[in-house]
Amino acid sequence: MADGAKILILNGPNLNMLGIREPSIYGSDTLADIEHRCVAHAKAIGLSIDFRQSNIEGELVTWIQNCRTTHHGVIINAAAFTHTSVAILDALSLIDRPVIEVHLSNILARESFRHHSYISPVAVGVICGFGWRGYTLALDAIKDILGKG
Ligand code: DQA
């Protein structure tokens, strides 16, 4: 199932502050700018998206749990929870849906505590370092994955 597939795009803590948050690292686009680009790109390639952000770990966990019956795949930038959250790893492990991990910055070129991701082991792949383009690249990738499934 690729055409018309519904994709959940999740954003973790502090990503609501994009635009004013460390623009030299994260760029000057706001999260709303990124959402608009994702909506336009998803439409162009025949996907529909549900774009959400939360600063609360448990809210992200609940959204991931619930998506197993409502969405065909997940794109997640878990932000700082990437490096800390076994709960998000466990939720992603139970949904039986393809997961793509995205980061705006190249986490491997930054502080060593950002080099470990709890999410990567359950992700089909990781896209980092391309800014907002990582999200649209992830949409292209998830469309291909769902088309093969
Ligand atoms: C981030 C990288 C994380 O290390 C950081 O905690 C974030 C954003 C990124 O998109 O580059 O909040 O996920």
Side-chain angles (χ1 to χ4, degrees):
M1 161 45 146
D3 276 338
K6 201 166 172 191
I7 309 302
L8 181 61
I9 304 183
L10 291 180
N11 295 280
N14 299 305
L15 293 174
N16 56 313
M17 301 305 286
L18 289 178
I20 59 167
R21 178 189 180 197
E22 299 179 273
S24 61
I25 296 174
Y26 297 115
S28 54
D29 289 318
T30 65
L31 194 62
D33 295 331
I34 296 175
E35 179 176 4
H36 291 143
R37 290 198 178 100
C38 286
V39 168
H41 191 69
K43 195 173 169 199
I45 64 172
L47 299 176
S48 77
I49 64 163
D50 190 358
F51 193 98
R52 303 184 197 168
Q53 188 275 333
S54 180
N55 293 324
I56 302 167
E57 185 177 15
E59 188 163 38
L60 292 162
V61 168
T62 300
W63 286 343
I64 294 165
Q65 290 174 359
N66 291 343
C67 88
R68 75 195 192 287
T69 55
T70 52
H71 295 77
H72 300 93
V74 177
I75 294 169
I76 182 165
N77 182 352
F81 291 150
T82 305
H83 317 298
T84 62
S85 181
V86 177
I88 290 177
L89 165 66
D90 286 348
L92 291 170
S93 301
L94 70 81
I95 56 173
D96 195 26
R97 291 284 184 268
V99 174
I100 298 183
E101 177 181 350
V102 169
H103 301 282
L104 296 156
S105 64
N106 179 357
I107 54 174
L108 297 174
R110 298 181 62 193
E111 305 96 318
S112 57
F113 65 84
R114 296 184 203 276
H115 297 179
H116 177 260
S117 164
Y118 279 96
I119 290 165
S120 301
V122 294
V124 182
V126 182
I127 299 170
C128 73
F130 296 102
W132 63 265
R133 285 180 190 80
Y135 287 76
T136 54
L137 290 168
L139 282 166
D140 289 334
I142 212 158
K143 170 149 183 172
D144 282 355
I145 291 159
L146 291 170
K148 286 177 189 136

